[in-house]
């Protein structure tokens, strides 16, 4: 008996939305607030949430998303954008982000050094800035889905799209933003299919 587990059980990757049902503004705001409240590594928040409400825009977008009906039949599509240009340790944005902590100057400098060391030794040898920002975007994605579910709102996370085509169609300024992942939101039409999950004792180990 836990409200978060209840929401997680309600949530499924909704393939069939009721196109007639629209999410009320305050509920949509709550879902977006959950995205903005999400944690990100070092608190960089290198993301942006582009909300597509327009039917015309979503119809234009659908062919670039494997023609998935969720794009047009949902109520809204949130395009989660990564901002990989922001997170280079030498970028003024990184300093601005750390300054928000209002720490003494020497501690701020030490934090930035630690950040630079982490990015140079652990992150950039393994992945590019887009992939690292995208990892954070997926935390916001999950929080928005769970928050939506807690209000009886369905969702479908979507990686099934052609990134460059979507960026072109939406006229994204790719010098600043890159599409990370999409989130369709709305209300299910019909029943949820049975959930498939591997047993918990195969996935969890205690030491
Ligand atoms: C990052 C991510 C991307 C996904 N992309 C798509 C997609 O493009 N289209 C789709 O129908 N489902 C997509 N899914 C849904 C998964 O297939 C689904 O979550 C998985 O099969 C488990 O089912 P459930 O979410 O209903 O429990 C995606 C899921 C995640 C987490």
């Amino acid at each position: 008996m836990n409200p978060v587990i209840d929401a997680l059980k309600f949530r499924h990757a909704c393939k069939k939305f009721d196109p007639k049902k629209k999410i009320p503004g305050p509920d949509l705001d709550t879902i977006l607030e959950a995205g903005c409240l999400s944690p990100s590594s070092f608190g960089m928040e290198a993301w942006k949430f582009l909300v597509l409400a327009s039917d015309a825009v979503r119809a234009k977008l659908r062919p670039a998303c494997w023609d998935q009906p969720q794009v047009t039949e949902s109520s809204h599509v949130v395009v989660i954008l990564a901002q990989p240009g922001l997170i280079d340790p030498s970028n003024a944005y990184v300093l601005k982000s750390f300054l928000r902590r209002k720490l003494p100057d020497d501690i701020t400098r030490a934090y930035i050094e630690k950040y630079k060391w982490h990015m140079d030794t652990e992150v950039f040898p393994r992945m590019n800035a887009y992939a690292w920002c995208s990892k954070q975007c997926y935390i916001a994605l999950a929080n928005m889905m769970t928050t939506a579910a807690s209000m009886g709102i369905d969702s479908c996370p979507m990686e099934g799209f052609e990134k460059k085509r979507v960026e072109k169609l939406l006229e994204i300024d790719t010098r600043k933003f890159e599409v990370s992942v999409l989130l369709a939101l709305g209300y299910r039409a019909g029943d949820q299919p049975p959930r498939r999950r591997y047993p918990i004792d195969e996935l969890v180990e205690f030491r």
Side-chain angles (χ1 to χ4, degrees):
M1 297 282 270
N2 175 292
V4 179
I5 295 290
D6 289 345
L8 292 171
K9 286 184 174 167
F10 172 87
R11 189 214 61 80
H12 70 297
C14 185
K15 314 281 176 179
K16 206 165 165 27
F17 287 93
D18 182 342
K20 292 187 289 297
K21 287 194 184 161
K22 294 286 173 199
I23 301 173
D27 288 356
L28 185 64
D29 289 347
T30 301
I31 295 167
L32 293 166
E33 187 180 5
C36 296
L37 284 172
S38 298
S40 54
S41 187
F42 286 94
M44 281 300 138
E45 298 177 58
W47 50 39
K48 185 170 171 172
F49 306 97
L50 175 64
V51 184
L52 306 181
S54 153
D55 288 345
V57 170
R58 289 184 296 126
K60 208 170 73 171
L61 188 66
R62 181 168 156 173
C65 303
W66 302 358
D67 198 33
Q68 298 191 69
Q70 298 94 307
V71 176
T72 49
E73 291 178 359
S74 58
S75 165
H76 294 78
V77 171
V78 182
V79 181
I80 307 182
L81 299 166
Q83 298 200 62
L86 292 182
I87 56 99
D88 190 273
S90 63
N91 194 310
Y93 176 82
V94 171
L95 174 63
K96 186 179 103 178
S97 296
F98 281 114
L99 286 174
R100 293 187 304 173
R101 299 178 189 214
K102 301 200 185 318
L103 295 166
D105 284 354
D106 55 331
I107 308 276
T108 300
R109 270 197 302 277
Y111 254 123
I112 290 177
E113 272 313 302
K114 178 91 179 158
Y115 176 74
K116 182 174 164 30
W117 181 83
H118 177 71
M119 299 307 280
D120 289 345
T121 61
E122 300 295 328
V123 175
F124 293 141
R126 290 193 200 116
M127 72 194 85
N128 64 18
Y130 166 74
W132 189 73
C133 290
S134 259
K135 292 210 289 181
Q136 326 304 324
C137 288
Y138 278 54
I139 299 171
L141 169 76
N143 282 337
M144 288 196 280
M145 291 193 293
T146 307
T147 302
S150 74
M151 298 187 292
I153 295 171
D154 290 294
S155 61
C156 186
M158 296 177 63
E159 270 187 342
F161 60 86
E162 296 165 54
K163 177 175 173 287
K164 286 206 163 67
R165 207 170 150 197
V166 168
E167 286 166 351
K168 194 153 185 252
L169 277 165
L170 296 176
E171 297 175 12
I172 304 292
D173 179 356
T174 51
R175 288 165 305 179
K176 287 188 182 162
F177 305 101
E178 290 187 53
V179 175
S180 173
V181 65
L182 309 185
L183 174 62
L185 293 161
Y187 298 91
R188 67 187 69 181
D191 289 334
Q192 170 179 344
R195 188 184 303 277
R196 292 176 311 273
R197 286 294 187 271
Y198 293 112
I200 196 163
D201 55 1
E202 280 182 27
L203 302 175
V204 179
E205 180 184 328
F206 290 88
R207 291 197 178 169

